[in-house]
Amino acid sequence: QVQLVESGGDSVQAGGSLRISCAASGFTASRHCMAWFRQAPGKEREGVAVINSDGNTSYADSVKGRFTISEDNSKNTLYLQMNSLKPEDTAMYYCAARSYVDCRWYPFTQPDFNTWGQGTQVTVSS
């Protein structure tokens, strides 16, 4: 069964850091285009960061320079390192995978990805 499970969400103060994880099973994450999305209350789900099978990355302008997407191939796990967090980063963060050979770069959208986790909540207080 293909599955993505996010973890590591927490409540942090503005300016703080947090790393969230996405454990993949049923497929090898490093062979696919993998992404992080987020959805804040009252807003549409938006793409945050993406990494392809070559390790190339792309980020939303709002997180560029603060967030880093990476993979640990030995653990089949995707990560999102979030630094200098802002209250506007508060959202449910979702892990997603694309089942095709090609990838999608920012501004990538939800229909570009086929497999989704259930999300992990990140709350940034001021």
Side-chain angles (χ1 to χ4, degrees), residues 7-115:
S7 63
D10 204 352
S11 296
V12 299
Q13 293 185 344
S17 297
L18 188 67
R19 188 177 76 164
I20 55 176
S21 303
C22 171
S25 60
F27 73 105
T28 302
S30 63
R31 297 176 182 173
H32 295 262
C33 180
M34 303 290 294
W36 286 99
F37 285 75
R38 68 184 181 185
Q39 188 166 22
K43 296 185 178 181
E44 295 183 353
R45 189 172 299 186
E46 63 173 346
V48 175
V50 63
I51 184 168
N52 72 1
S53 59
D54 293 323
N56 299 125
T57 59
S58 182
Y59 298 89
D61 291 339
S62 59
V63 307
K64 194 173 298 181
R66 300 188 298 119
F67 290 12
T68 303
I69 186 172
S70 63
E71 290 179 299
D72 185 332
N73 295 342
S74 66
K75 296 181 179 180
N76 203 29
T77 298
L78 182 74
Y79 300 98
L80 184 67
Q81 177 66 47
M82 300 177 286
N83 298 326
S84 301
L85 283 163
K86 304 175 181 179
E88 50 262 45
D89 294 320
T90 295
M92 183 72 73
Y93 282 73
Y94 298 90
C95 176
R98 180 173 169 84
S99 62
Y100 305 104
V101 176
D102 65 316
C103 199
R104 290 288 185 269
W105 307 117
Y106 182 80
F108 51 94
T109 60
Q110 187 171 344
D112 294 324
F113 294 82
N114 313 99
T115 302

